[in-house]
Amino acid sequence: MKLISLLSVLLIFFVKNSDAKKDMFNPIATINATTVDKGKFSFARAPLGNLNTTFLASSLNYGLFDRFEIGTAPIFYLSSEHKGNYNLKALVYDGDITKWSFSAGSLIFETEIENNGEIENPDVEMSIVQLAVNIHVPDSLFTVGLSAGRSCGQIDSKNVYVKIYSFRCKDETGFDLQYQYNDDLWITLGQGRNREAGITPYESIVNGYGAAVTLFRKAKLISRPSLGYYVSENGENMFLMTTTFYEN
């Protein structure tokens, strides 16, 4: 409860300009099935990352169409080995109680390996697919989030054996329980099974737990700030931060 109180204090200066929005979901360990509005932007965790990835690796997303968004994680462009990354999300079903979405992403880096005595610089190609559902429990202030994803990677070497044996996949799952504290303030608790660093599929899977507080400020530059904290069983601690921009 001390953690929840601290996060509430960090958000208190936004309260004056808040404006209520119903049926909103603010995830920790899962995915918000709803896409960003057409023509709007958000800063959120990318499909290729997870709760063990620094929030600086989050994705800048844009609503290209109704129920469809695209995005990219800007921080990766600071690396000379980075060759490209993107993610997309489609809201497949938008019901009053449940919402379903499909997400996919790709991240490509150049690497260096020794192949039969020669130095080769093949690409490491990583991808992920993810399904998520948000359930707004009828006649209650609770929302449940569930997600499942598979991330795969492969070294695109000229050596067919390197290419075959470098192929790896890992499965990740998440569960969130959100409580609407008042018209414009939400508290979310989450539990996830994620890759240790959230960048490659060559990582072990670890459990973790987190909490976050989210506020809605209609049509403001910082429209839906969410601040949280996540602790993995391997001892890693991560701050969480996401927001939308000028959300109506």
Side-chain angles (χ1 to χ4, degrees):
M1 292 303 295
K2 290 183 179 179
L3 175 59
I4 299 298
S5 299
L6 174 61
L7 295 174
S8 299
V9 170
L10 291 174
L11 283 170
I12 196 66
F13 72 96
F14 286 121
V15 171
K16 283 186 178 180
N17 297 314
S18 61
D19 195 355
K21 187 171 183 178
K22 304 298 183 182
D23 298 329
M24 183 180 288
F25 182 61
N26 308 285
I28 296 177
T30 64
I31 295 291
N32 185 356
T34 303
T35 53
V36 65
D37 293 339
K38 181 180 178 181
K40 301 293 184 179
F41 289 90
S42 71
F43 184 69
R45 181 165 52 87
L48 282 165
N50 63 28
L51 289 171
N52 298 318
T53 311
T54 171
F55 72 87
L56 296 175
S58 295
S59 175
L60 182 62
N61 302 312
Y62 176 73
L64 189 62
F65 306 112
D66 290 334
R67 299 170 60 166
F68 185 81
E69 69 181 38
I70 59 175
T72 188
I75 195 171
F76 291 125
Y77 292 91
L78 299 177
S79 171
S80 59
E81 291 82 15
H82 173 258
K83 299 188 72 173
N85 79 86
Y86 72 87
N87 61 83
L88 55 86
K89 181 171 68 175
L91 176 58
V92 178
Y93 176 75
D94 187 13
D96 292 334
I97 297 176
T98 62
K99 302 178 189 296
W100 294 81
S101 74
F102 172 82
S103 302
S106 176
L107 175 63
I108 301 175
F109 278 94
E110 182 180 82
T111 189
E112 182 177 286
I113 63 172
E114 184 176 341
N115 184 7
N116 296 324
E118 297 182 358
I119 299 299
E120 182 187 2
N121 297 102
D123 291 339
V124 179
E125 301 176 350
M126 292 166 283
S127 61
I128 189 170
V129 293
Q130 198 165 41
L131 293 173
V133 59
N134 301 159
I135 305 170
H136 299 278
V137 181
D139 302 318
S140 83
L141 298 175
F142 289 96
T143 302
V144 174
L146 303 169
S147 70
R150 165 162 282 203
S151 58
C152 296
Q154 187 173 48
I155 299 175
D156 190 23
S157 172
K158 291 182 290 186
N159 186 321
V160 65
Y161 296 105
V162 172
K163 189 169 185 176
I164 291 173
Y165 289 108
S166 67
F167 183 76
R168 295 286 189 279
C169 289
K170 290 290 175 65
D171 296 323
E172 298 176 288
T173 58
F175 171 81
D176 284 323
L177 178 64
Q178 174 184 274
Y179 175 72
Q180 186 174 350
Y181 183 76
N182 59 36
D183 284 347
D184 51 17
L185 187 67
W186 295 262
I187 299 170
T188 307
L189 303 176
Q191 188 274 332
R193 296 189 71 255
N194 300 295
R195 292 163 289 149
E196 282 186 305
I199 301 298
T200 77
Y202 304 105
E203 305 162 14
S204 299
I205 298 293
V206 294
N207 287 309
Y209 306 88
V213 175
T214 307
L215 188 74
F216 181 63
R217 308 168 65 240
K218 184 176 181 180
K220 302 298 181 181
L221 172 62
I222 306 299
S223 302
R224 201 193 328 171
S226 181
L227 297 176
Y229 196 70
Y230 185 80
V231 180
S232 293
E233 291 182 348
N234 64 356
E236 294 292 329
N237 302 328
M238 300 296 295
F239 284 100
L240 311 175
M241 185 175 70
T242 63
T243 189
T244 56
F245 302 100
Y246 297 111
E247 182 179 1
N248 293 315

